[in-house]
Amino acid sequence: MNKEISEFLSFLKHERNASPHTLAGYERDLRQVAAYLKEREVRWDKAGNVLLRGFLAELHEKKRKKSTVGRKLAALRSFYDFCVRKKWISENPAKVLATPRQDKKVPSFLSEDEAAALLDLPRTAGPLDLRDKAILELFYATGIRVSELVGIETGDVHFGERLVRVRGKGKKERIVPFGRKAQEALEAYLRARPRLAGQAGAEAAVFLNYRGGRLTPRSVERMVRKCIRRTAVARKISPHSLRHSFATHLLGRGADLRVIQELLGHSSIQTTEIYTHVSTNEKRAVVSPADTL
């Protein structure tokens, strides 16, 4: 099965533009299935749906999360679909297996007052503080992912139209609007950016670290946690929480779910529907990010 897995991963990488994170997850899941089948002395192309159901049942017995089981089943289905297209097998044995019903997890998000307190930080005119303020404003104004933010390059930002081009999952590009406050924060940071660029002035990334290199997702996460500690928010807040805040506040103001789906770059409307958890009372309490659109 190792040869087939390698070909499948190569297909995902070169034909589907799968991210390194996705590739690592699929490989890990499929190697686990391969080990399960090897223990039972069954070839991957002879494994029927009953045996594969047994693999999933074993995961349930080990108290694995439903999301984990569902992810492994998705990897199995994709792998066997690939094998059918390659004509290595005639049918997909994982196709008939039921996906476990997922528990709806309410995403963490900030209230209007909490978001305002966070965006009031940092307050100095140093290049790093200006950078951090621009990052926070852009997160809240656009709902982009942290991986998309660190991938923004200088040619991707268009201040005239207040638009930014980002590269999402599977390297899919989309254009996202941002508001006046985010524009002001970005322009202030970009005026100070040469002080960070230094000798690495050729770096195309908008957001740089103190050495002049491209900022990493982990560094952004640390910065957000540091700023949160300076507010009265006691909950665990991440860059993704700002994405949730953006979507929740838009929905609370009556924005169309399809529009929010497009802004967030979700491939399925079902992913966006998690934000319908906002109750009628919450809708009255939250306010859309100022000048977001």
Side-chain angles (χ1 to χ4, degrees):
M1 189 173 176
N2 289 334
K3 176 178 176 293
E4 290 76 16
I5 291 175
S6 295
E7 287 199 33
F8 173 59
L9 294 174
S10 178
F11 164 75
L12 291 179
K13 180 179 180 180
H14 299 292
E15 301 295 330
R16 296 292 176 84
N17 291 321
S19 69
H21 178 75
T22 298
L23 293 172
Y26 270 67
E27 181 172 14
R28 183 171 56 251
D29 292 339
L30 292 174
R31 299 292 183 201
Q32 185 178 355
V33 176
Y36 177 86
L37 296 177
K38 185 177 181 180
E39 286 178 1
R40 286 150 185 79
E41 299 181 347
V42 177
R43 282 176 52 86
W44 68 270
D45 53 348
K46 302 298 182 183
N49 61 72
V50 174
L51 188 60
L52 296 179
R53 187 177 287 113
F55 168 73
L56 300 178
E58 187 174 281
L59 295 175
H60 283 296
E61 291 172 2
K62 292 179 179 178
K63 307 297 183 182
R64 297 293 187 266
K65 293 180 180 179
K66 291 180 180 180
S67 58
T68 299
V69 177
R71 190 195 69 234
K72 293 181 187 297
L73 176 55
L76 268 173
R77 284 177 177 160
S78 296
F79 170 72
Y80 276 110
D81 273 342
F82 172 75
C83 294
V84 170
R85 288 196 296 272
K86 297 288 286 188
K87 300 188 184 304
W88 294 337
I89 54 175
S90 58
E91 60 183 20
N92 184 343
K95 193 173 183 179
V96 298
L97 301 181
T99 302
R101 186 181 296 275
Q102 302 296 315
D103 297 324
K104 284 195 174 182
K105 183 179 179 181
V106 177
S108 174
F109 65 97
L110 297 170
S111 69
E112 176 194 2
D113 289 342
E114 291 170 337
L118 179 63
L119 295 177
D120 196 37
L121 300 171
R123 299 174 181 173
T124 77
L128 292 178
D129 278 352
L130 290 172
R131 179 203 66 188
D132 294 348
K133 187 172 183 63
I135 287 173
L136 293 174
E137 289 283 1
L138 196 60
F139 268 142
Y140 189 57
T142 62
I144 60 178
R145 303 175 178 93
V146 63
S147 60
E148 294 169 342
L149 179 130
V150 299
I152 296 173
E153 301 190 345
T154 52
D156 295 330
V157 184
H158 303 278
F159 287 108
E161 301 86 358
R162 290 212 293 253
L163 298 173
V164 59
R165 179 172 62 242
V166 297
R167 297 158 188 83
K169 293 183 177 180
K171 297 182 181 178
K172 293 180 180 178
E173 291 188 359
R174 70 183 188 282
I175 304 296
V176 185
F178 56 88
R180 176 179 50 79
K181 289 185 178 180
Q183 178 182 6
E184 291 172 354
L186 271 171
E187 288 177 334
Y189 160 63
L190 289 175
R191 287 193 293 269
R193 182 179 176 275
R195 291 154 62 186
L196 293 178
Q199 297 299 318
E203 174 61 70
V206 167
F207 296 107
L208 305 177
N209 59 32
Y210 70 94
R211 294 187 299 270
R214 184 183 296 268
L215 204 60
T216 66
R218 187 176 295 274
S219 295
V220 175
E221 290 165 3
R222 284 197 299 266
M223 180 274 291
V224 171
R225 287 198 298 269
K226 180 184 71 175
C227 289
I228 283 293
R229 285 196 296 268
R230 296 173 61 188
T231 70
V233 178
R235 302 187 308 283
K236 183 178 180 181
I237 298 296
S238 67
H240 220 64
S241 302
L242 298 180
R243 178 173 165 86
H244 294 323
S245 302
F246 164 82
T248 300
H249 292 185
L250 283 181
L251 185 63
R253 290 282 294 201
D256 185 88
L257 202 61
R258 290 287 182 183
V259 173
I260 298 175
Q261 176 192 2
E262 183 176 345
L263 290 172
L264 294 176
H266 287 160
S267 58
S268 169
I269 191 66
Q270 291 178 330
T271 307
T272 317
E273 284 175 348
I274 187 64
Y275 299 107
T276 59
H277 73 279
V278 181
S279 68
T280 302
N281 289 335
E282 287 171 324
K283 285 182 179 180
R284 293 193 185 103
V286 298
V287 177
S288 174
D291 297 311
T292 297
L293 300 178

